[in-house]
Amino acid sequence: MNDLITSLNDKQQEAALHKDGPLLVVAGAGSGKTKALTHRIAYLISGYGVNPSNILAVTFTNKAAMEMTNRISKLLTGAHISALPTVGTFHSICVRLLRKHIHELDYENSFVIYDDTDQQIVVKKIMKEMQIDDKKFNPRAILAGISNAKNKLIGPKEFSYQAMDYFSEKVSNIYSRYQEELKKSNALDFDDLIMKVVELFKAKPEILEFYREKFKYISVDEYQDTNYAQYVLIRQLADKYRNLCVIGDSDQSIYSWRGADMQNILDFEKDFPDCKVVLLEQNYRSTKNILDAAHKIGRAHV
């Protein structure tokens, strides 16, 4: 299995050969982090004999998930592996879980997922019923407030306690009715997908235990882009075996607009004091001159 790691530089090899316990890989753009991540997963299977069904890899886009799956598949060619690890986005993985278990939360497993248009229709209907002028209160702004609350795992009741100004009070009133309307239609919105899995795991410890046993090795790409709900979900799953590998760059967060919390990656060493830290510093996309110039520009703006 040395063939799997000979193409890696020293730091990538260090990450790829790490088996048990928490691992933080700090990697900038172009430093080969996806290569390190996929080779590590492949080596867990072919080098250490980990069952692929016990591995979960999470990323942010379907494109990235597909690329990761393809790379792992190619690396395992000829290894006589009957299955591949579970690879997907936070939301796609949560959908799969909820399709099996959401009846435990009094929904039907055949729930529908509302898109932006569906959400606006529901909010506008509620605003009309509550005689709230949608010229004064933009439905998109209302939905943004609800989304922000869900990304922080704040439900309607808790949100109502925190509503300290006029706009927040309006959001609170609509949020409560909005969730009732979704429930009535056996529907979830995009933010519910993670929130409901977290809720399910809290309500049904035996289901959480099943998935902790199933996913003994967890990898999260672009960890700097996780929000609070995603952070809690990963901690729920990883806290038993603690074989959690996160890869990210605190300088590269692009999802702050949807609640990404940079503190998650900055606090990883506090959450897991015994974690191994690997710094991938060699950039494969840019020449040294370009990188030096970029760093100088960055320092000039600090």
Side-chain angles (χ1 to χ4, degrees):
M1 270 303 113
N2 283 342
D3 289 349
L4 269 179
I5 59 170
T6 51
S7 64
L8 306 180
N9 66 37
D10 290 347
K11 289 297 182 181
Q12 289 172 329
Q13 285 188 21
E14 194 178 342
L17 292 172
H18 180 84
K19 181 175 183 276
D20 295 318
L23 170 66
L24 168 63
V25 180
V26 181
S31 60
K33 66 182 180 62
T34 303
K35 186 173 185 178
L37 176 57
T38 52
H39 278 68
R40 178 176 182 269
I41 291 170
Y43 199 80
L44 282 173
I45 297 165
S46 295
Y48 294 123
V50 174
N51 191 321
S53 67
N54 291 142
I55 297 174
L56 171 66
V58 190
T59 188
F60 277 85
T61 67
N62 290 320
K63 182 181 177 183
M66 192 176 299
E67 181 187 351
M68 203 180 294
T69 301
N70 290 338
R71 287 198 192 193
I72 294 168
S73 180
K74 285 179 182 176
L75 290 170
L76 293 173
T77 300
H80 307 294
I81 303 298
S82 59
L84 287 172
T86 299
V87 181
T89 64
F90 278 96
H91 294 93
S92 67
I93 288 162
C94 286
V95 168
R96 284 184 236 172
L97 289 174
L98 293 172
R99 289 288 181 210
K100 293 180 181 177
H101 304 292
I102 201 171
H103 60 274
E104 301 283 2
L105 298 178
D106 199 28
Y107 284 76
E108 292 177 22
N109 290 351
S110 58
F111 63 87
V112 295
I113 302 171
Y114 277 3
D115 62 17
D116 291 344
T117 303
D118 299 321
Q119 290 175 267
Q120 286 193 59
I121 289 170
V122 174
V123 165
K124 286 177 181 177
K125 175 191 170 192
I126 293 168
M127 291 175 74
K128 189 173 182 181
E129 289 172 357
M130 298 177 75
Q131 297 183 326
I132 298 172
D133 189 350
D134 63 9
K135 299 291 189 293
K136 291 182 181 177
F137 297 95
N138 189 323
R140 284 185 179 277
I142 298 289
L143 281 166
I146 293 172
S147 175
N148 187 50
K150 290 184 178 184
N151 286 332
K152 294 176 180 175
L153 298 178
I154 299 172
K157 190 173 182 181
E158 188 183 352
F159 189 88
S160 69
Y161 299 144
Q162 300 178 11
M164 303 301 289
D165 56 60
Y166 189 60
F167 177 75
S168 296
E169 286 176 4
K170 294 296 180 188
V171 173
S172 175
N173 294 336
I174 294 168
Y175 185 7
S176 181
R177 285 278 296 110
Y178 174 76
Q179 287 305 107
E180 289 171 10
E181 287 294 321
L182 261 61
K183 181 72 165 57
K184 198 187 302 181
S185 301
N186 195 45
L188 302 178
D189 65 21
F190 201 59
D191 299 307
D192 279 326
L193 298 174
I194 295 172
M195 193 174 185
K196 288 298 178 186
V197 173
V198 171
E199 186 182 329
L200 173 72
F201 285 164
K202 286 180 179 176
K204 300 291 178 180
E206 68 278 12
I207 295 177
L208 172 58
E209 180 62 17
F210 173 83
Y211 285 103
R212 280 177 168 174
E213 287 296 323
K214 178 173 175 57
F215 298 130
K216 292 177 181 174
Y217 291 86
I218 301 172
S219 298
V220 184
D221 195 13
E222 307 292 2
Y223 192 66
Q224 77 280 351
D225 289 326
T226 53
N227 60 35
Y228 179 71
Q230 292 160 338
Y231 166 81
V232 170
L233 174 64
I234 291 299
R235 287 299 302 267
Q236 284 179 315
L237 287 169
D239 270 358
K240 182 174 183 179
Y241 288 101
R242 303 175 76 256
N243 296 321
L244 174 60
C245 166
V246 304
I247 295 188
D249 179 0
S250 59
D251 292 332
Q252 294 286 330
S253 182
I254 61 171
Y255 288 123
S256 58
W257 54 270
R258 74 174 189 203
D261 189 350
M262 186 78 72
Q263 209 59 41
N264 292 343
I265 192 167
L266 297 176
D267 284 349
F268 191 80
E269 291 176 82
K270 291 180 185 175
D271 291 340
F272 299 96
D274 59 333
C275 76
K276 182 181 184 66
V277 180
V278 178
L279 304 178
L280 297 185
E281 297 172 310
Q282 186 172 335
N283 190 294
Y284 290 94
R285 292 185 199 162
S286 305
T287 66
K288 186 176 185 302
N289 289 341
I290 294 172
L291 286 171
D292 288 344
H295 290 152
K296 283 177 184 175
I297 293 168
R299 284 196 294 270
H301 285 80
V302 172

